[in-house]
Amino acid sequence: MTRTRLSADTNTQTSTHGQPPGAVAASSTPISVLLVATDSASYASVRDGLAGHGGEGFRVEWVTTLADALNRLNRRDVDVVLLSATTPGGDDREAFDLIRRTTPDALLLPLNALGFQDTGPSPSSEQPDASWLADTLRYVVQRKRVEAGLRASEDALFERLKHAEVTLASIGDAVLVTDFNSLVTYLNPVAEAMTGWPAEEAVGRPLGEIFHITIGGTGAKAVDPAQRAMLEDCTVGLEADCVLRRRDGTESGIEDSAAPLHDRHGRVSGAVIVFRDVSQSRKVTRRMAYLARHDALTGLPNRALLKERLGQSIRLADRHGKQAALLYVDLDNFKDINDALGHVVGDQVLKAVAGHLTRCVRASDTVCRHGGDEFVILLSEIATPADAEQVTNKLLNTFASPIEVNGHALQVGLSIGVSIYPDHGDSADALTEHADQAMYRARAISRNGNDTALGQRQASGRPLAESARGDLHRAFDNREFLLHYQPQIDVPSGQIIGVEALVRWLHPVRGLMYPGQFMGLAEQAGLSVPLGRWVIREACQQITTWKASSLWAPLLAVNISALEFSHTRFATELEAILRETGLDAGELELELTEGVLMLDADASVTRLNELRDLGVTLAIDNFGTGPSSLNQLQRFPVHTLKVDGSFVHDINTARNDPAILRSLIGIGKSLKHRVVAEGVETVQQYGFIKAQHCDAAQGFQLGYPLGAEDCTLLLAIRGHLLRCRES
Ligand code: C2E
Ligand code: MG
């Protein structure tokens, strides 16, 4: 049976129930004493001893059996166990151990060791005074409690440190700690890997030795972030673009922050640096920034970057009193190459072209892929437009030879349009627009050879290389020029009434070339006038040859350039040629564009009169495309108006109202001029101009320009037919 007595003098209800005794505050919790004895005298003595002499704060319980004692001790809130040998089994060593195991933290004392008599169930009056016991127990228990408290906090601290270490070891960021003297005190495994220093070697070394950082690009030493954090006593970020050099010399871009550490008095005691490898993300960022401003295929700057650089060039040109040039480059036959050889070769061609273009300019210039087969070159800070001309010719010269791509030798033609800052515009947009249009005109001329005077001026010389100017002189000496003759048909009768002489250059490498491809260059090479004289002489000679061969000789039309026309000796030399070749002046018609005549309208009238006095007839070529007004037209003593082919081509389309062609023919008629429609390509067009009572017509529908031999044959057949019809 259990006899549990609560002591009468327990003066507090505070209990340590459920907690280890050492885990509570040493001073406030009553000391719990369990007496395990059969005699009540021991109990009374202990109780009185603890209660009487400073024994406040004790709670004494008494059990008489070992089983009750173990039962009570299971609650583990007993500080002191006083075990009497009178308890059955109480002197048993095993029982002692059992109690010790049940409550390892409690103080276990044999009662007789304290001087008590184990008198058994009959109480003894001779029990010792236990007043000394209070102080002793209090001292011992409180000491034990403090020790237990310390152990508990040590355990808690250990747990916390363990936890922090596991956390630091498992995070992806590198962590490095220094003391106040910037000596390394800790590195986590990521920091070890990133610096190349194992913690055991790094700890104790100066931070600069372990954490070697520089500024990317410059290689300059970066500011020590730990020092900054300690000095400024706040969290600081690393300088941008920081690079960490590992122990083995390899480098990686890092990003980090450093924060000061404080001791318990709040004083800065060190710093912790947290950093991570950002090489990969920096690479991706750089690649994305690069792609946003470059063409992925060729690696050249794209439109966005060009626009930026053009803006800079304009500002620089202004500041240094220079000019800038924009060259629009289009590949004439890229589509054909792509269609014939496939996109893979097409891409390689674009890359090869990009390489060639880049090698033709200075490193400070910008070659940009504008899209598709269009490239734009920005020449920054040129002294004069001649510099742009020089680059243009260099480009054309480079592309005059085939380029090697994938085993194919490919001839890539270029059309180039040029605009000069500030001559052609004062903004990036205006310059781009101008160069683009110039390129289109250049392309139109090099492709179908049928462009306006304006177009010819813009594109003049572009399709040939600089060395081609030298070529032109050689060509002239080597008689590489020849004439084609395009029939002019009398509309009412359908008969050939004339031929227009059209110059060609049979280039030894490039083959047959048309005036749009070389006339501008001939002008720059100073060959316009001699070439023009040669054309007139050659054409006149041809007509007299046909005449001499008893062929029917048509009227001859010859185109005259601005330089020839303005040349002071033009009329005199023309007269000489007529004399020399024996051609009747009335059989020769000189074609001049409105643009040429309008350069100096008054002088033109004088010259035209001079020529008319020689007996030659005069025609306004490409009528409708020039700047002259009706008033001025009336002043020019001309005989023929040749309506430009562009008005004839589009009569069936919405773009060009036939009313324009009708009125152009009407103007010619009202001025009493002979009206010739150019560029007649279809039966419908011919029908239309016929219905408008056009006098004559020219065009592929009526006869292609032919070489002298072919034309001789044509005239022979026509003459024969005519004679047949007459007889
Ligand atoms: P243009 O005087 O207007 O000559 C007519 C041009 O139109 C020729 O081009 C001719 O081949 C082309 N043509 C003829 N019929 C048609 C047609 O039905 N459709 C199309 N699309 N085109 C047609 P070419 O021979 O290339 O000459 C171009 C220009 O070069 C000439 O235009 C002329 O201004 C100039 N030119 C040609 N030969 C000489 C020359 O000996 N001296 C001078 N100064 N200029 C010349
Ligand atoms: Mg003509």
Side-chain angles (χ1 to χ4, degrees):
M1 175 184 163
T2 305
R3 271 202 340 220
T4 304
R5 312 256 174 92
L6 285 179
S7 68
D9 57 357
T10 297
N11 57 7
T12 172
Q13 296 305 308
T14 311
S15 164
T16 57
H17 185 81
Q19 292 182 38
V24 294
S27 56
S28 60
T29 314
I31 296 171
S32 170
V33 179
L34 179 68
L35 179 70
V36 188
T38 47
D39 67 312
S40 56
S42 300
Y43 168 63
S45 172
V46 170
R47 181 196 61 196
D48 295 345
L50 293 181
H53 305 275
E56 275 184 16
F58 284 95
R59 186 175 62 189
V60 182
E61 290 169 76
W62 172 36
V63 293
T64 55
T65 67
L66 190 62
D68 284 347
L70 293 175
N71 203 24
R72 171 66 187 86
L73 291 172
N74 270 336
R75 279 155 57 191
R76 305 189 62 165
D77 57 352
V78 173
D79 297 303
V80 183
V81 181
L82 299 175
L83 180 62
S84 165
T86 61
T87 313
D91 58 346
D92 190 334
R93 182 83 211 156
E94 266 186 44
F96 201 86
D97 286 346
L98 208 56
I99 292 174
R100 161 78 55 241
R101 278 205 299 277
T102 308
T103 177
D105 297 317
L107 178 65
L108 176 57
L109 296 170
L111 201 56
N112 56 2
L114 301 175
F116 288 87
Q117 300 297 316
D118 291 343
T119 55
S122 43
S124 159
S125 55
E126 292 171 32
Q127 292 299 359
D129 177 2
S131 58
W132 55 271
L133 192 59
D135 289 339
T136 309
L137 289 187
R138 188 178 290 118
Y139 173 75
V140 175
V141 169
Q142 285 193 346
R143 226 192 118 95
K144 270 180 88 81
R145 282 184 178 180
V146 167
E147 275 172 13
L150 279 174
R151 248 195 336 272
S153 4
E154 259 175 27
D155 288 351
L157 188 64
F158 180 78
E159 278 306 309
R160 276 213 297 278
L161 283 175
K162 195 84 202 136
H163 187 78
E165 206 172 306
V166 171
T167 310
L168 286 174
S170 61
I171 59 171
D173 287 351
V175 180
L176 200 156
V177 183
T178 70
D179 65 11
F180 188 69
N181 297 315
S182 283
L183 297 177
V184 174
T185 57
Y186 174 81
L187 283 95
N188 74 349
V190 182
E192 288 183 316
M194 281 186 65
T195 58
W197 283 89
E200 59 269 24
E201 280 190 62
V203 169
R205 288 180 187 263
L207 176 69
E209 211 178 299
I210 309 301
F211 190 61
H212 190 275
I213 48 173
T214 53
I215 306 295
T218 66
K221 200 167 182 290
V223 174
D224 176 350
Q227 285 279 0
R228 257 191 72 202
M230 288 192 283
L231 272 175
E232 295 171 22
D233 196 7
C234 64
T235 303
V236 298
L238 205 69
E239 288 179 76
D241 214 12
C242 225
V243 173
L244 171 71
R245 182 173 299 157
R246 282 195 195 79
R247 194 178 187 180
D248 63 6
T250 55
E251 294 189 335
S252 50
I254 59 162
E255 208 171 71
D256 88 340
S257 65
L261 292 174
H262 299 98
D263 63 16
R264 66 183 134 141
H265 305 294
R267 289 180 302 237
V268 173
S269 61
V272 57
I273 307 172
V274 179
F275 55 103
R276 73 191 65 88
D277 190 335
V278 291
S279 314
Q280 213 44 38
S281 61
R282 249 180 223 169
K283 230 186 242 172
V284 172
T285 315
R286 282 197 190 119
R287 179 81 189 140
M288 282 170 69
Y290 177 85
L291 285 179
R293 302 162 91 227
H294 291 81
D295 167 50
L297 176 70
T298 58
L300 292 178
N302 64 10
R303 282 163 184 256
L305 187 50
L306 174 75
K307 200 165 179 189
E308 235 173 75
R309 299 231 175 121
L310 183 52
Q312 284 166 4
S313 290
I314 288 176
R315 283 193 294 279
L316 276 177
D318 282 343
R319 197 176 314 148
H320 301 146
K322 298 245 171 139
Q323 303 184 359
L326 207 59
L327 274 57
Y328 241 81
V329 182
D330 179 75
L331 311 188
D332 289 341
N333 52 346
F334 179 70
K335 193 178 172 307
D336 300 340
I337 294 174
N338 223 21
D339 291 348
L341 302 174
H343 292 288
V344 176
V345 175
D347 283 355
Q348 286 170 340
V349 169
L350 291 173
K351 282 193 202 170
V353 167
H356 279 75
L357 295 179
T358 308
R359 283 189 288 278
C360 284
V361 298
R362 298 170 302 180
S364 55
D365 297 328
T366 300
V367 179
C368 146
R369 182 166 173 225
H370 216 235
D373 61 348
E374 279 182 14
F375 295 83
V376 177
I377 300 174
L378 167 65
L379 307 177
S380 50
E381 294 205 69
I382 55 166
T384 68
D387 293 346
E389 185 72 35
Q390 204 174 337
V391 173
T392 305
N393 288 330
K394 190 172 174 190
L395 292 171
L396 294 165
N397 197 22
T398 301
F399 283 84
S401 318
I403 59 172
E404 275 286 321
V405 173
N406 217 14
H408 303 279
L410 300 170
Q411 186 70 58
V412 178
L414 301 187
S415 293
I416 305 177
V418 183
S419 69
I420 305 286
Y421 172 80
D423 297 0
H424 298 132
D426 57 3
S427 70
D429 287 344
L431 289 170
T432 308
E433 171 93 18
H434 188 278
D436 188 28
Q437 284 176 8
M439 185 274 291
Y440 272 102
R441 282 192 290 270
R443 191 167 59 185
I445 287 172
S446 68
R447 280 186 183 167
N448 63 20
N450 187 17
D451 199 63
T452 62
L454 176 69
Q456 287 175 42
R457 272 203 302 278
Q458 295 292 350
S460 60
R462 302 283 183 252
L464 276 186
E466 187 189 359
S467 69
R469 287 192 211 161
D471 267 13
L472 271 167
H473 283 282
R474 178 193 43 77
F476 202 65
D477 297 342
N478 287 358
R479 299 167 179 263
E480 287 171 13
F481 293 103
L482 58 120
L483 292 181
H484 278 182
Y485 300 90
Q486 183 176 34
Q488 205 178 87
I489 305 296
D490 175 59
V491 172
S493 67
Q495 297 305 314
I496 298 177
I497 43 149
V499 285
E500 179 179 359
L502 298 163
V503 69
R504 307 287 183 250
W505 177 12
L506 187 58
H507 193 282
V509 177
R510 300 181 67 166
L512 194 66
M513 294 173 67
Y514 294 85
Q517 294 171 285
F518 60 85
M519 288 301 277
L521 209 63
E523 191 178 312
Q524 291 164 33
L527 280 176
S528 276
V529 174
L531 182 62
R533 298 288 189 276
W534 175 84
V535 170
I536 299 171
R537 182 176 291 109
E538 177 72 16
C540 292
Q541 191 64 63
Q542 185 61 63
I543 303 290
T544 45
T545 306
W546 282 329
K547 267 186 174 171
S549 316
S550 306
L551 285 171
W552 179 77
L555 184 81
L556 171 68
V558 176
N559 294 284
I560 305 298
S561 69
L563 283 178
E564 287 176 87
F565 182 57
S566 60
H567 197 262
T568 42
R569 292 181 50 77
F570 180 56
T572 321
E573 288 185 13
L574 181 67
E575 198 179 7
I577 292 173
L578 288 173
R579 212 178 314 114
E580 204 183 296
T581 56
L583 190 76
D584 187 354
E587 293 172 306
L588 177 63
E589 183 163 82
L590 302 180
E591 295 187 5
L592 295 138
T593 64
E594 283 175 76
V596 169
L597 295 175
M598 289 304 297
L599 285 174
D600 183 347
D602 292 339
S604 292
V605 173
T606 314
R607 268 186 220 119
L608 288 175
N609 278 325
E610 205 180 334
L611 293 169
R612 202 180 55 172
D613 291 346
L614 287 180
V616 295
T617 59
L618 300 164
I620 294 184
D621 206 357
N622 307 122
F623 177 58
T625 60
S628 52
S629 69
L630 232 124
N631 272 350
Q632 282 156 331
L633 273 180
Q634 275 175 319
R635 290 178 61 209
F636 297 135
V638 296
H639 180 245
T640 303
L641 286 187
K642 293 188 81 176
V643 178
D644 192 71
S646 58
F647 300 102
V648 179
H649 294 167
D650 295 331
I651 56 164
N652 299 327
T653 69
R655 260 197 307 145
N656 211 340
D657 192 340
I660 301 178
L661 177 59
R662 205 178 286 129
S663 51
L664 285 174
I665 297 172
I667 291 170
K669 292 272 165 201
S670 67
L671 291 171
K672 306 259 182 300
H673 293 329
R674 189 172 77 101
V675 181
V676 181
E678 289 186 291
V680 177
E681 290 181 344
T682 65
V683 178
Q684 287 93 327
Q685 289 163 0
Y686 187 60
F688 185 87
I689 55 122
K690 196 169 181 180
Q692 297 305 312
H693 307 291
C694 226
D695 299 293
Q698 237 176 287
F700 296 160
Q701 171 65 31
L702 308 167
Y704 283 97
L706 298 170
E709 276 183 28
D710 290 339
C711 202
T712 306
L713 213 60
L714 178 76
L715 291 177
I717 295 168
R718 284 286 180 136
H720 178 70
L721 283 176
L722 213 67
R723 279 194 296 277
C724 288
R725 219 175 282 160
E726 279 167 1
S727 60

